[in-house]
Amino acid sequence: ERQRASGTGSMDEPVKCTLVASFAARQAIIMAAVLLFMLYTWIQIRRGVEKRSLTTLVADASKQAGQQAFGGAMMVLLGVLLAHHKYDSLAWYAAEYPFEVIITTYLTGSFRKWTESGFTRWYERSREAWLEPYTKFGLYGPTPGEFRWNWYGAQMVQAVLLIGIPARVVSILAILLSLHVLPEWMSPVDLVGRAWYFSGLTCAMRTLLSLYCLPVLGDAVQFVIVDQLQKFKARDHDPRLLDTL
């Protein structure tokens, strides 16, 4: 799980840690975040704040899980690649994570709005029935409370391929660009990575904190925020639907 730095480095070069079983760990983190999100939503239902059905909640959460799984894989890959230059993959993963969460959260809301408005204009011109699910993101049938698998499948494609993947590709590219454009002392990603790498913590402790504890909390918070950005908003479509939600 770890290896000594080569003799080309300084005498104080820290032990290099690796992302052990990183992809599998990331999926477990996402599932933990989903469970925390569902617990939060259950509390909101008990308080009378949340009106969605359990089926809708599970469908919404599964779309987010699909989005985040891809982002985790990309961060792992970038961390491994950057580790060939300096620090280690675990430090880079921890450095990327907070910036990736912030950027993708913002872009998810933007891409959701852009894709939905684009499909709405297309649907209004063509009236093709297969386009309708894409115009009501978060609604899984023609009427609130109705669930159709073809609507869910269409929105899963929209969520992952048209929203989640583009948002995460842009965020990873922005992180990579910042590392190439900004001097090391001005790059927030580099500074965070350096702080983790030279923290003096053991590999086990760094793995626990940067790969499990912080991402579970961060992903859970992101789930709540993105859920609000992606849930169906009747007021944006037909205000009369507000009475049925």
Side-chain angles (χ1 to χ4, degrees):
E1 293 189 11
R2 61 185 188 179
Q3 59 187 44
R4 288 288 175 185
S6 63
T8 58
S10 67
M11 295 296 292
D12 297 326
E13 187 75 11
V15 171
K16 288 186 177 293
C17 308
T18 58
L19 281 167
V20 180
S22 53
F23 188 78
R26 179 63 181 175
Q27 310 321 304
I29 290 168
I30 291 173
M31 290 307 301
V34 169
L35 292 176
L36 287 176
F37 166 73
M38 296 301 291
L39 175 61
Y40 166 82
T41 306
W42 178 80
I43 294 173
Q44 294 295 83
I45 292 174
R46 297 285 293 181
R47 294 177 57 214
V49 176
E50 181 59 66
K51 304 297 184 182
R52 284 173 292 176
S53 66
L54 180 60
T55 301
T56 300
L57 286 171
V58 172
D60 287 347
S62 67
K63 290 190 301 188
Q64 275 209 66
Q67 292 173 333
Q68 293 202 19
F70 184 82
M74 289 191 66
M75 284 194 293
V76 168
L77 177 61
L78 181 58
V80 171
L81 293 175
L82 291 174
H84 290 295
H85 176 57
K86 60 179 178 180
Y87 309 149
D88 59 34
S89 55
L90 189 60
W92 281 119
Y93 181 91
E96 298 165 44
Y97 181 78
F99 301 101
E100 194 267 356
V101 167
I102 294 171
I103 297 171
T104 56
T105 299
Y106 171 77
L107 290 177
T108 295
S110 299
F111 283 130
R112 178 261 165 95
K113 184 183 301 181
W114 296 337
T115 58
E116 191 173 52
S117 62
F119 277 112
T120 298
R121 288 193 294 270
W122 187 3
Y123 177 69
E124 289 174 348
R125 289 197 304 268
S126 66
R127 289 298 171 182
E128 294 284 348
W130 67 272
L131 290 171
E132 188 176 5
Y134 298 96
T135 68
K136 298 176 180 177
F137 196 77
L139 200 64
Y140 301 102
T143 58
E146 186 177 357
F147 183 88
R148 294 186 182 180
W149 282 105
N150 62 322
W151 278 59
Y152 172 73
Q155 292 191 24
M156 179 62 80
V157 170
Q158 184 178 2
V160 176
L161 297 184
L162 303 181
I163 299 174
I165 290 179
R168 280 149 182 84
V169 168
V170 172
S171 68
I172 291 296
L173 290 177
I175 290 171
L176 191 58
L177 181 63
S178 72
L179 290 170
H180 281 81
V181 172
L182 298 176
E184 290 185 1
W185 61 273
M186 287 185 61
S187 171
V189 180
D190 192 283
L191 291 173
V192 174
R194 181 180 179 84
W196 276 105
Y197 186 58
F198 291 101
S199 64
L201 298 173
T202 64
C203 286
M205 185 59 69
R206 283 174 55 198
T207 298
L208 178 65
L209 292 175
S210 61
L211 193 58
Y212 293 93
C213 296
L214 295 180
V216 166
L217 294 176
D219 283 4
V221 171
Q222 188 181 34
F223 256 92
V224 172
I225 296 173
V226 171
D227 178 65
Q228 295 303 308
L229 294 173
Q230 293 195 139
K231 68 189 293 187
F232 179 74
K233 297 177 177 63
R235 65 178 62 88
D236 295 338
H237 297 270
D238 185 351
R240 291 174 297 179
L241 292 175
L242 286 169
D243 298 330
T244 63
L245 292 177

